[in-house]
Amino acid sequence: PALGYLLLDEGAIVNDPAWSEPARNVVAALFRLENNRDEQEMLNVLGKLVDWLKAPEQTGLRRAFVIWIRRVLLPHRAPGMELPELNDLQELHEVHTMLAERIKKWPERWRQEGLEQGLEQGREQGTRRMLARQMVKKYGAIPTWAQTRLDQAGPEQLETWADAILESETLEALLSEAPRH
């Protein structure tokens, strides 16, 4: 059968740096929003959508984009970020304006979250090293089974062991498990 079809090559649309005139449409804008590389590109595409969909007959489509942005795009783009003011917005231009202000603060928040995560990992590594040193000092060489337990322990378990190392008589008692061979 000879059928006509319309090929929507999302990759070609998203990767076209010029975003050529034939590809400037609502579907291409949706693809670009889903695959944006940075916040500024997301704002630029939203700004174009605001312009394209300003006619009164586009109210339903604007509303659909607002819902999609709230339920899909932002939870994916900024997981865990609370945007309660977005729930009250009904129009695409309001979302664009609000995001233009809020997006400026995202990099600082992400930097802070990364710093906190790095500090937590550093504390965990330090506790792990301190425990290993104390084990060697108190019990001699650390058997493979004990090193494995130490490597796999979470922060709470490490803290428990750090508190218990002063009172335990044997490595087995400290790690609460008989050696594995």
Side-chain angles (χ1 to χ4, degrees):
L3 300 174
Y5 62 91
L6 174 63
L7 174 65
L8 290 177
D9 185 352
E10 183 175 347
I13 292 170
V14 169
N15 294 321
D16 181 7
W19 196 9
S20 63
E21 282 305 317
R24 289 180 189 249
N25 59 56
V26 176
V27 173
L30 177 68
F31 290 163
R32 283 199 169 264
L33 284 172
E34 285 182 328
N35 296 285
N36 65 70
R37 289 180 177 79
D38 60 35
E39 292 75 28
Q40 191 57 51
E41 181 181 353
M42 182 171 69
L43 282 177
N44 292 342
V45 173
L46 278 175
K48 288 180 176 149
L49 279 172
V50 167
D51 287 343
W52 296 345
L53 302 176
K54 61 185 166 194
E57 62 270 11
Q58 302 293 347
T59 301
L61 191 52
R62 285 193 310 269
R63 180 75 182 124
F65 264 103
V66 169
I67 292 168
W68 178 79
I69 289 167
R70 183 172 44 226
R71 292 184 184 167
V72 178
L73 181 66
L74 290 179
H76 171 72
R77 189 73 185 142
M81 188 148 320
E82 301 278 329
L83 296 170
E85 63 274 21
L86 187 62
N87 295 332
D88 299 330
L89 303 180
Q90 302 296 316
E91 281 294 328
L92 194 57
H93 73 277
E94 296 171 330
V95 172
H96 180 257
T97 302
M98 187 273 299
L99 285 176
E101 287 302 312
R102 294 296 298 252
I103 282 176
K104 294 174 189 173
K105 298 174 185 172
W106 288 4
E108 181 56 37
R109 179 172 176 183
W110 290 330
R111 222 179 342 270
Q112 184 62 33
E113 288 173 0
L115 179 61
E116 290 170 9
Q117 186 178 26
L119 287 171
E120 182 61 35
Q121 288 173 353
R123 273 190 227 107
E124 193 174 322
Q125 286 176 344
T127 303
R128 209 177 299 282
R129 269 190 243 136
M130 182 275 304
L131 267 169
R133 284 186 188 140
Q134 290 301 321
M135 287 177 188
V136 168
K137 197 184 233 183
K138 188 168 183 175
Y139 310 114
I142 302 175
T144 305
W145 69 267
Q147 186 63 53
T148 302
R149 291 281 320 268
L150 188 60
D151 292 342
Q152 294 173 349
E156 296 84 19
Q157 186 62 59
L158 290 171
E159 290 296 323
T160 301
W161 289 340
D163 291 339
I165 197 166
L166 298 174
E167 298 170 8
S168 69
E169 295 296 322
T170 66
L171 190 56
E172 289 81 3
L174 172 67
L175 300 180
S176 303
E177 185 171 298
R180 297 180 195 162
H181 298 288

